[in-house]
Amino acid sequence: MAQSDSEIRIQTAELEEEQIELAGDETMEEEELEGLVASLIEGAQDYIDLQEAPDRVKASDYYQGLPFGNEEDGRSQVVSMDVRDTISLMLPQIMRTFFGSERVVEYVPRQPEDVLAAQQATDFVNQVVMGQDNPAFSICYNAIKDSLIKRIGVIRIDWERREEVEYEEFTGLDDQGMEAILSEAEVEDSQVESYPDPNFVPPPPQPPQVSPDGQPIEQPEIEAPMLHDVVVRQTRVDGSIVLDALPPEEFLIDRRARSIEDSAIVAHRRYLSVSELVQMGYDYDEMLDLAGDSDEFGTNTEFISRHPISNYADSGAVGEANRKVLYIEAYAKIDYDGDGISELRRFCCGGTHHKLLHHSPVSDLPFIIFNGYPEPHTWKGHSVADLLMDVQKIKSAVLRNMLDSLAKSIHPDTEVVEGQVNKDDVTSNKVGKIIRTRAPGMVRELTKEFSGREAFPMLDYLDSVKEDRTGMSKASMGLNPDALQSSTKAAVSATVAASQAQIELLCRVYAENGMKPLFKKILKLLHSHQDQTRMVRLRNEWIPIDPRGWDAGMDVSVNVALGLGTTEERMAMLAGVANKQETILKE
């Protein structure tokens, strides 16, 4: 769960009061603000649902190899899987590039005294934030795959503040143990049940004693000591970085945006249960009123294609607390205080009418956009599907015609004289069958020669077009130059280097536009929100980590396996280094 709205209200209450006092009557009315935000959200929703979603659905259909819709009965309906095959070959190389080393990124200090802090931040973020706290590989894999198919992949990064209520039970405590448990500062409530020690064995009776005046002294009765069963309630407050790869249809942006930073609005829309919203600090009755019967994603073709039988409108069947509410977190620059300067604010809206639940100023956007083929002056770019959909459709048509020609050559059409032939005999597939005719020559096969071999050069040409556009070929997959007998090793090595150049460029784009902003935001969130020291194990040592002492403006260096040459070149370089070392040792 992201930082609760109740916590945000507490943190920003004084700032809001100061802004209102300074602005006076210029502060925007809540109704006006709600209408403005709702208008921006509706415009972004129309853009995503009506313009972007159909294109993504088409790309997804090509990736899955679904029929084109122009198929004919009795003809071949094969679909070439060029989009899927190409993406399946690209993903292993891309993921190995970023996650093949121990550290995905390194933080670069700006001052000499920040060197140790930069090393500590690098180890902590790579090992704990991206390893223990978040499945970083899966999250980045989903975002990169979305971008290869649907043009963009979106990662949301938040600081999650958790309040976990724990109940601990202790049995058989003595008085001192009970006092020690109840004296702990974290204990908020307790239940104590006391009872005599069932295992107490009283001491043997003492002989009767007599006082000096001869009166018997009454012996005190020894009672069993009391034991206590204690149940204590504790609330532990903790926080951590949370990463999530968003479904593309949940991300909203203005149609005129050049980037997410200059967009009029960016937002994350999703359905949350009434229970989840109450845990975030909202009123139960108010959230129940916002749980309408309409489904915001019911008209989004992308959501429908992914969940063909899913509908949020019928969620009330599992209880009122589980009814779904459309919850949108929007980020827009609005002059709320009337000082003539627009500031970035976070707006939390609920329901299909976008009722404004809460708003507060923020310093940064929590979204990272991954796009491997960006276009200048626009927030989105192209995908592998955009590059190959026409090739896949043409190649499918060629394959269908080849298979149809092959089928006709193996199973030719048959000409019969009507009324002179038994049709059941003619249409039977039995080998060595007998065809009954009234006269000779009443049946004749229309032999057709297979002409599909003439299409093989066209398939090779289409494959070369695919390779030119994406860089994915047998050479880029690491084909051994020694295995090629028809070309020189130097020529093949040059082909390998040229084909890998496009993959190298793609990885560099992901590194600069995706990985670096992501890890910069991680560093900033740790510096701003982790308010207590955390003990972690780094390099086999337990070290206290306090990000408040780090420089939040450190640069990020992405460790990608680029520009290292071929394997043969690296081996030759290492062999040369080994020879020099041997020479030095002999001297």
Side-chain angles (χ1 to χ4, degrees), residues 29-87:
E29 296 291 338
E30 290 296 312
E31 293 183 0
E32 180 184 0
L33 182 63
E34 181 176 317
L36 177 58
V37 174
S39 176
L40 291 173
I41 291 176
E42 290 173 359
Q45 286 183 154
D46 290 341
Y47 166 58
I48 295 299
D49 293 343
L50 301 179
Q51 183 171 336
E52 292 296 323
D55 291 343
R56 295 172 184 167
V57 171
K58 182 180 178 181
S60 181
D61 290 346
Y62 272 79
Y63 176 79
Q64 298 177 39
L66 299 182
F68 301 116
N70 59 353
E71 289 73 19
E72 300 178 14
D73 292 337
R75 303 289 297 274
S76 174
Q77 299 182 10
V78 65
V79 176
S80 179
M81 302 289 287
D82 295 88
V83 173
R84 187 186 190 95
D85 293 343
T86 302
I87 293 176

Side-chain angles (χ1 to χ4, degrees), residues 36 54 174 253 368 434 501 538 555:
L36 177 58
D174 57 15
I253 192 170
I368 301 295
I434 298 175
L538 300 177
D555 197 8

Side-chain angles (χ1 to χ4, degrees), residues 143-324:
I144 291 175
K145 188 172 184 178
D146 277 340
S147 70
L148 294 177
I149 301 174
K150 302 181 178 182
R151 298 174 182 166
I152 64 163
V154 183
I155 291 182
R156 175 165 183 168
I157 174 172
D158 276 319
W159 177 264
E160 177 182 336
R161 183 180 182 272
R162 298 181 298 272
E163 293 185 2
E164 299 179 353
V165 178
E166 297 180 355
Y167 288 89
E168 293 189 58
E169 182 178 358
F170 303 90
T171 59
L173 297 177
D174 57 15
D175 293 338
Q176 294 180 347
M178 182 184 66
E179 292 179 1
I181 293 296
L182 298 181
S183 62
E184 294 183 2
E186 294 84 2
V187 175
E188 298 178 344
D189 192 11
S190 62
Q191 297 178 359
V192 180
E193 181 180 351
S194 302
Y195 54 90
D197 186 355
N199 298 321
F200 174 73
V201 178
Q206 300 291 330
Q209 298 182 3
V210 181
S211 64
D213 57 359
Q215 298 295 328
I217 300 176
E218 187 175 343
Q219 298 292 330
E221 183 179 356
I222 300 177
E223 298 180 353
M226 300 298 292
L227 297 181
H228 313 279
D229 291 346
V230 181
V231 178
V232 297
R233 179 179 184 270
Q234 298 177 326
T235 300
R236 302 184 186 277
V237 179
D238 194 10
S240 63
I241 299 288
V242 175
L243 303 177
D244 187 22
L246 303 184
E249 71 270 11
E250 292 187 1
F251 179 72
L252 303 178
I253 192 170
D254 181 61
R255 68 179 70 244
R256 294 170 291 273
R258 293 186 176 183
S259 65
I260 61 172
E261 286 77 15
D262 68 359
S263 176
I265 185 172
V266 291
H268 178 202
R269 60 173 173 177
R270 51 183 167 158
Y271 272 89
L272 298 178
S273 67
V274 173
S275 175
E276 290 173 324
L277 291 171
V278 170
Q279 292 178 7
M280 294 170 65
Y282 293 109
D283 180 71
Y284 174 79
D285 294 330
E286 184 180 9
M287 295 302 101
L288 202 59
D289 293 338
L290 295 177
D293 295 331
S294 61
D295 188 355
E296 186 71 20
F297 291 119
T299 57
N300 184 281
T301 55
E302 185 177 4
F303 177 83
I304 295 174
S305 67
R306 185 184 294 114
H307 309 282
I309 60 175
S310 177
N311 188 355
Y312 285 121
D314 59 4
S315 60
V318 291
E320 291 187 343
N322 291 322
R323 294 184 64 186
K324 298 294 184 179

Side-chain angles (χ1 to χ4, degrees), residues 539-578:
R539 300 182 181 182
N540 296 324
E541 293 184 6
W542 288 97
I543 301 176
I545 299 296
D546 187 0
R548 290 172 293 183
W550 297 346
D551 178 13
M554 285 188 291
D555 197 8
V556 177
S557 174
V558 182
N559 289 330
V560 294
L562 300 175
L564 301 180
T566 64
T567 301
E568 184 176 285
E569 292 170 348
R570 293 196 295 272
M571 293 298 295
M573 180 191 67
L574 293 176
V577 173

Side-chain angles (χ1 to χ4, degrees), residues 311-354:
N311 188 355
Y312 285 121
D314 59 4
S315 60
V318 291
E320 291 187 343
N322 291 322
R323 294 184 64 186
K324 298 294 184 179
V325 179
L326 178 64
Y327 186 72
I328 299 180
E329 294 180 52
Y331 297 81
K333 292 181 179 179
I334 293 179
D335 182 17
Y336 171 69
D337 52 15
D339 61 357
I341 301 176
S342 298
E343 63 269 3
L344 183 64
R345 300 184 71 84
R346 172 176 177 256
F347 301 92
C348 301
C349 304
T352 55
H353 298 291
H354 314 306

